[in-house]
Amino acid sequence: MQKAHVLLVDDEKELVDAMKERLELAGYIVTACYDAEQAMKRAQTEAYDVAIIDLIMADTDGITAMHRLKLIRPRMECIVLSGQGTLRMAVEAMKQGAFEFLEKPCDHKLVTQTIDEAYARKCEQDKRIRS
């Protein structure tokens, strides 16, 4: 199966760069953005299958960023990350349309498994739309 095209959105540059490198080694196509505005610009010109978005960033919150990205790419699946996550935040992210909510630091295997599950759902939705 083809690997997902992933958009990483987080203002922690070192975390994003490390995650990007690990995901690329695992075969994913990855674009790193260090703020939500940069992510919006990239999403307007490039299609992504899955976005991984930090919940708390300097320029906006992850839920708002997710909504804005979904306006540009409605079928893109979104995974929300947080280092200060609570159960309430996780539930709210899911209610607002996130595919999943993960806590930092994330186990690499869990991240790739979640990306693959989100990508499979997106592919299934794309297939239904084409039918």
Side-chain angles (χ1 to χ4, degrees):
M1 180 173 156
Q2 180 180 333
K3 295 284 190 175
H5 191 176
V6 179
L7 177 64
L8 293 178
V9 188
D10 195 322
D11 57 0
E12 293 181 53
K13 186 177 183 331
E14 296 78 24
L15 174 84
V16 171
D17 291 346
M19 187 179 281
K20 179 181 190 296
E21 186 176 321
R22 290 192 78 186
L23 290 173
E24 286 177 338
L25 286 172
Y28 298 92
I29 302 165
V30 183
T31 301
C33 294
Y34 307 111
D35 61 53
E37 286 308 312
Q38 184 184 23
M40 299 310 143
K41 289 175 186 170
R42 293 302 297 260
Q44 289 174 357
T45 60
E46 201 166 337
Y48 296 95
D49 301 306
V50 178
I52 299 176
I53 308 165
D54 186 28
L55 183 62
I56 300 170
M57 295 180 279
D59 66 333
T60 191
D61 67 274
I63 303 295
T64 300
M66 177 179 67
H67 285 296
R68 290 179 62 203
L69 284 167
K70 295 279 263 175
L71 287 173
I72 299 166
R73 300 285 174 194
R75 293 191 317 271
M76 178 176 59
E77 293 293 342
C78 296
I79 299 165
V80 177
L81 294 178
S82 180
Q84 302 105 301
T86 65
L87 180 59
R88 186 177 59 79
M89 288 177 173
V91 170
E92 186 60 27
M94 302 295 282
K95 281 183 182 178
Q96 294 294 323
F99 178 80
E100 187 62 80
F101 182 92
L102 300 175
E103 289 186 74
K104 294 179 195 175
C106 299
D107 173 68
H108 179 68
K109 186 173 181 177
L110 177 61
V111 172
T112 58
Q113 178 183 338
T114 305
I115 291 170
D116 291 344
E117 290 169 0
Y119 181 52
R121 183 162 94 175
K122 181 191 179 286
C123 289
E124 186 60 37
Q125 290 172 348
D126 289 348
K127 184 177 168 185
R128 274 187 262 138
I129 288 168
R130 284 192 297 266
S131 297

